[in-house]
Amino acid sequence: MSSEIRLTPTSYIVLGLLEATEEATPYDLKQMVAVSLGNFWSLQHAQLYTEPERLAAAGYLEERREEGGRRRRHYSITAEGRAALRDWRGEPTAELTELRDLALLKIFFGADPKEMAEVQLPAHERQLATYEELRRDVGKALPEGPGITLEAGIASERIWVEFWSSLAG
């Protein structure tokens, strides 16, 4: 039985990752985010250390603590956590993409667009190449959700490459 807490996107990230892996430490969660959804969803890594404890106190996760050594906390998802995740996944959203782009922020406040493009263009070309390489190497082996988000990343990077190319002249 869970106590009533407000579940946030970070809550669902933790629940989703634990559903996929069965058990993980906060450090494991941080590593998983870095190589997967961290490419399209930013969050402070400290949240991955505090959120599991909060979810465990509310009954969405179970905690197992190592007896010796560093006494790491290992978390696993409960039936209640699975139900909350299932319900959340089942609710379509009309929220638009959040855009936090430091280069655009600098241009907004007067930075030279051409100068910014000279740095941004190769960065986005590298990211596009990384995503395309990932698709070549493991694309067909990815589950549907990660495969779709990889395709979204590729499409997005292609648009950024086109955008920064136009500013670079």
Side-chain angles (χ1 to χ4, degrees), residues 50-71:
T50 58
E51 189 64 13
E53 188 173 345
R54 188 176 86 91
L55 292 171
Y60 295 103
L61 300 180
E62 288 182 359
E63 178 184 320
R64 177 181 66 80
R65 191 134 192 187
E66 292 177 354
E67 294 296 322
R70 296 177 62 191
R71 296 186 37 84

Side-chain angles (χ1 to χ4, degrees), residues 17-165:
L17 290 173
L18 286 170
E19 181 185 58
T21 61
E22 309 237 348
E23 183 179 89
T25 66
Y27 179 78
D28 296 332
L29 295 172
K30 184 182 107 171
Q31 296 299 105
M32 286 184 265
V33 165
V35 299
S36 64
L37 60 95
N39 287 303
F40 63 89
W41 189 269
S42 62
L43 69 151
Q44 294 180 359
H45 290 147
Q47 293 176 296
L48 296 171
Y49 287 87
T50 58
E51 189 64 13
E53 188 173 345
R54 188 176 86 91
L55 292 171
Y60 295 103
L61 300 180
E62 288 182 359
E63 178 184 320
R64 177 181 66 80
R65 191 134 192 187
E66 292 177 354
E67 294 296 322
R70 296 177 62 191
R71 296 186 37 84
R72 288 184 203 104
R73 297 171 190 241
H74 295 256
Y75 294 95
S76 58
I77 191 169
T78 63
E80 200 151 358
R82 287 180 197 283
L85 183 61
R86 183 187 62 245
D87 292 347
W88 174 75
R89 279 192 298 241
E91 298 171 3
T93 181
E95 286 190 33
L96 296 175
T97 303
E98 292 182 26
L99 180 60
R100 291 176 50 107
D101 188 306
L102 188 56
L104 291 179
L105 184 62
K106 289 182 177 194
I107 289 171
F108 182 88
F109 287 112
D112 180 337
K114 186 174 175 71
E115 189 176 295
M116 198 63 66
E118 290 173 5
V119 176
Q120 284 293 306
L121 179 57
H124 283 280
E125 289 171 334
R126 282 190 304 275
Q127 188 64 45
L128 176 58
T130 298
Y131 287 164
E132 288 176 333
E133 182 179 341
L134 183 60
R135 180 173 61 188
R136 273 191 309 276
D137 293 347
V138 296
K140 292 191 187 322
L142 286 174
E144 182 182 28
I148 289 170
T149 58
L150 176 59
E151 290 304 318
I154 289 169
S156 176
E157 287 304 324
R158 285 181 178 156
I159 290 168
W160 283 117
V161 166
E162 181 182 324
F163 172 79
W164 290 112
S165 293

